[in-house]
Amino acid sequence: MGHKKVCFNCRKAFSIYKNPSDEINLTCPECGSITTLINHKFRPPKSSDIKKWKIAGYLKNNGCFFHHVYEKVEDGSYVVVPYPENMSEAEEFVRKYKQNLSPY
């Protein structure tokens, strides 16, 4: 499994394909800011989509690193919860799934 090195300052993501024991440079190659390691499932918005980047930043700041979050349904099985599309959905997502947002 890979990760993405995500810069919320310049709104860019860089895929990382390294051995997990290798040290990863968390400096953004574009702007020099410190980046965040996020699950490879993260689909970064276009850099011009400020609203979506704010939602992603809000989720990240609340412990979400974009792995799957599951919810139990009536028949006892689990389904993957879709990630929010707007800020009010993001706030509800964090309230409802905060305990499930740990990356490990």
Side-chain angles (χ1 to χ4, degrees):
M1 299 288 171
H3 285 84
K4 290 184 180 168
K5 182 166 75 166
V6 180
C7 180
F8 286 89
N9 185 50
C10 66
R11 298 181 305 275
K12 294 192 178 183
F14 309 90
S15 292
I16 297 175
Y17 303 103
K18 291 187 176 186
N19 184 332
S21 64
D22 291 346
E23 186 174 321
I24 297 171
N25 178 352
L26 291 178
T27 303
C28 176
E30 297 288 321
C31 72
S33 294
I34 297 298
T35 60
T36 302
L37 282 181
I38 293 185
N39 191 295
H40 71 283
K41 295 175 182 100
F42 174 66
R43 299 293 175 246
K46 292 181 179 181
S47 60
S48 60
D49 194 343
I50 307 295
K51 285 183 182 181
K52 293 237 175 163
W53 276 100
K54 284 185 179 181
I55 293 166
Y58 174 81
L59 291 169
K60 186 251 323 172
N61 290 339
N62 281 280
C64 177
F65 293 93
F66 294 87
H67 64 287
H68 287 312
V69 174
Y70 296 94
E71 183 173 66
K72 193 172 188 175
V73 291
E74 285 183 21
D75 67 1
S77 63
Y78 289 85
V79 295
V80 175
V81 177
Y83 274 88
E85 293 289 322
N86 61 53
M87 191 56 80
S88 63
E89 288 177 3
E91 291 167 348
E92 178 63 23
F93 184 88
V94 167
R95 271 193 298 280
K96 191 170 182 180
Y97 302 108
K98 181 88 172 167
Q99 73 280 2
N100 299 324
L101 296 181
S102 171
Y104 305 104

